[in-house]
Amino acid sequence: MSFQERPYLTRMSQFAWLSSFWFAIHFIWATLLTVVIPARMEDLVPLAELGTRQGILFGLGAAVSAVLQLTIGFISDSTDSRFGSRKPYIAVGVAVSVGALLYLSGATSYWNLVFAYILVQIFLNIASVPYQSMMPDLVPEKYHGRAAAMMGIFDLSGKLSGLVLSALVVGGIFFSKTSDGKPDYAVLAALYGLLLISLGIAVLAKSPSYPVTRAVRWLRIRFGDNSNNFRRIFSEFLRFEFRKSPDFLKLALSRTFILFGYYTFIFFIYRFAKTNLGVGDDREMAVVLLSAIIIGAVAGNIAGGYFSDRIGKRRVIYIGMAVSIALLIPLIFATNIYQAIYYGVAMGVGWGAFIAADWAFAFALIPKERTARYMGLWDLTALAPQMVAPLLAGIARDRLLTVLPGTPMAAEAEAFRIVFSFAIIYFILGLIVLGFVREPKIGEGRH
């Protein structure tokens, strides 16, 4: 059994088409997490239980995704195929995700929505974990910063496009509503499917297949020494060899703290805009705030990717997060949407720099022959906060409503200021842990 020599991509145009599927993934998650599901929650659950119920939904989805990501990463790394170890899973995940998203669009009850959301988590992760492993598989170490910046551009532009279009659908501006006056979520589901299929095919068609085992015609899963003994398979599944990559583990912990802060406030932006910024029921203005943050992040992402290859990834993360912390404080205490947009754009610049440099840092530290497994673990740094942070924030919001004085709207506004302030603490903890991570020099990455 023989493997071909590793193919490498070195041009920005190659980074662009390799990253393009990221646009579809983040278009979907941005619309679901920040617009569609919060809007559906208001239709399906009592207002007094909204925070807790939304936290439960996001937490269950993240828990399922966490288990799946580690599993699919392990299986992908252990796959022999004429199509490589990534492409078969991308193809299956895309095909089944389209059906799951159509099912979600027609959910008619809270628990129906929860079940549909879990299905989407399962099948999108089957596609996305092997897909994101293609970047460190195929891009040389000295180009990691630029490749991560390109990935960040498609990430952020997908989020921005998704937020704008979902606001138009939810608001019924360009697309008509259903007969009962509700937004036509089937329009978004159809667009999800179009993006997944078209961009998925583009990446599958243009990307080199790696690693290719010529002796295997279709697909075979190998575990260790090819033994089917369950104990051997389970032992191989858990073998991450952290002693050989302690800096990766520290970087993952740093990112977990920082994303814990991010998920403490991002899922409640719509309610925050409604209660604190005077937008009322104008959902489109809440989307404008999110879009402003993303626009700033695109600029910061480009700069962060460029400078992380020149002045160091850790230094760029420090600078980016310092900007984010400095601007998040006045954003939390803003009293109208225009102030929030101003601070949001500036905060986004710092956040975008963090995204580019942090991913590039991870690429440099991941062991090359276990890429998908470590990328699955890397994704846990987002899933664990996504599972816990919104639940804690939602419970805190609901409890504070019962003790804070004033009208329900005034109490909720003050509750969000208190809850969102904890994000700053999480950001600082992440930067403290980052100080213990050693950044390898070019050519010193893990092999």
Side-chain angles (χ1 to χ4, degrees):
M1 195 184 305
S2 61
F3 293 88
Q4 98 282 21
E5 185 178 350
R6 183 191 299 269
Y8 277 123
L9 308 178
T10 58
R11 299 193 304 272
M12 290 299 289
S13 60
Q14 293 174 321
F15 302 157
W17 55 251
L18 181 60
S19 301
S20 62
F21 188 61
W22 220 230
F23 181 95
I25 294 293
H26 286 283
F27 183 101
I28 292 169
W29 285 127
T31 57
L32 288 181
L33 299 179
T34 61
V35 178
V36 175
I37 288 178
R40 298 301 308 279
M41 292 293 297
E42 291 191 348
D43 296 332
L44 299 175
V45 304
L47 183 61
E49 302 174 10
L50 186 146
T52 301
R53 291 283 196 101
Q54 184 167 301
I56 290 172
L57 180 146
F58 288 136
L60 286 174
V64 170
S65 182
V67 173
L68 182 72
Q69 289 206 0
L70 286 177
T71 305
I72 198 65
F74 167 64
I75 293 173
S76 177
D77 280 340
S78 305
T79 295
D80 293 334
S81 163
R82 64 179 296 184
F83 307 107
S85 60
R86 316 301 183 202
K87 289 184 176 182
Y89 302 102
I90 297 172
V92 171
V94 165
V96 186
S97 290
V98 173
L101 286 161
L102 288 170
Y103 175 58
L104 183 144
S105 71
T108 56
S109 70
Y110 171 73
W111 288 109
N112 194 229
L113 182 67
V114 170
F115 181 63
Y117 178 68
I118 289 174
L119 287 179
V120 172
Q121 282 277 12
I122 290 173
F123 294 113
L124 271 185
N125 280 298
I126 286 175
S128 65
V129 172
Y131 163 69
Q132 66 187 2
S133 302
M134 295 175 78
M135 187 71 78
D137 277 352
L138 303 175
V139 177
E141 205 175 326
K142 66 180 179 179
Y143 295 105
H144 281 172
R146 278 159 279 187
M150 184 62 70
M151 185 182 70
I153 289 170
F154 280 97
D155 170 338
L156 295 166
S157 60
K159 289 175 180 175
L160 178 60
S161 302
L163 288 171
V164 171
L165 191 66
S166 62
L168 299 177
V169 172
V170 171
I173 296 175
F174 285 174
F175 300 92
S176 61
K177 296 189 177 184
T178 59
S179 58
D180 60 357
K182 299 289 181 64
D184 190 355
Y185 296 105
V187 172
L188 278 176
L191 185 58
Y192 294 159
L194 178 63
L195 285 173
L196 282 173
I197 292 171
S198 60
L199 295 178
I201 290 175
V203 168
L204 291 173
K206 290 182 69 67
S207 303
S209 296
Y210 178 82
V212 171
T213 307
R214 305 292 185 187
V216 179
R217 181 168 179 79
W218 294 107
L219 183 70
R220 183 175 69 88
I221 309 299
R222 55 183 163 80
F223 298 115
D225 60 357
N226 296 324
S227 169
N228 290 321
N229 181 277
F230 177 79
R231 181 178 295 179
R232 288 180 179 272
I233 295 173
F234 191 68
S235 174
E236 179 69 13
F237 172 66
L238 294 177
R239 190 159 64 90
F240 280 97
E241 299 181 341
F242 288 133
R243 291 183 180 179
K244 295 182 180 179
S245 50
D247 290 306
F248 173 82
L249 191 62
K250 295 172 189 174
L251 182 67
L253 181 60
S254 168
R255 186 173 189 252
T256 299
F257 278 121
I258 290 173
L259 291 184
F260 212 103
Y262 175 75
Y263 288 120
T264 292
F265 72 86
I266 198 65
F267 289 146
F268 294 96
I269 281 288
Y270 167 64
R271 291 297 305 175
F272 173 76
K274 186 172 183 177
T275 58
N276 295 56
L277 304 177
V279 303
D281 292 321
D282 189 357
R283 288 179 174 138
E284 292 75 27
M285 290 307 296
V287 171
V288 169
L289 173 57
L290 281 168
S291 301
I293 295 173
I294 293 172
I295 289 170
V298 170
N301 190 266
I302 295 171
Y306 177 84
F307 285 109
S308 67
D309 284 338
R310 286 160 175 76
I311 66 173
K313 300 166 183 64
R314 186 169 63 176
R315 186 176 298 178
V316 171
I317 293 173
Y318 274 124
I319 295 171
M321 289 310 302
V323 172
S324 296
I325 292 169
L327 275 300
L328 179 58
I329 296 171
L331 175 60
I332 291 173
F333 292 94
T335 56
N336 65 69
I337 188 67
Y338 300 105
Q339 288 179 353
I341 290 172
Y342 173 78
Y343 295 126
V345 170
M347 188 190 80
V349 172
W351 185 253
F354 160 76
I355 291 173
D358 203 49
W359 273 97
F361 211 160
F363 292 163
L365 296 175
I366 289 174
K368 300 306 180 195
E369 301 308 320
R370 298 170 181 268
T371 308
R373 195 181 317 182
Y374 276 80
M375 290 307 294
L377 182 64
W378 181 250
D379 276 348
L380 286 184
T381 63
L383 285 168
Q386 184 181 326
M387 182 167 46
V388 179
L391 178 59
L392 292 180
I395 292 173
R397 174 260 186 198
D398 293 351
R399 295 295 180 268
L400 286 168
L401 286 182
T402 65
V403 299
L404 291 172
T407 65
M409 185 72 77
E412 187 174 11
E414 186 62 28
F416 279 130
R417 293 190 191 101
I418 295 171
V419 172
F420 287 6
S421 295
F422 280 95
I424 297 169
I425 297 174
Y426 297 132
F427 288 163
I428 293 172
L429 288 173
L431 293 179
I432 291 173
V433 174
L434 182 66
F436 295 94
V437 183
R438 186 182 68 89
E439 183 173 351
K441 298 178 181 179
I442 297 298
E444 191 187 345
R446 306 300 187 260
H447 302 284

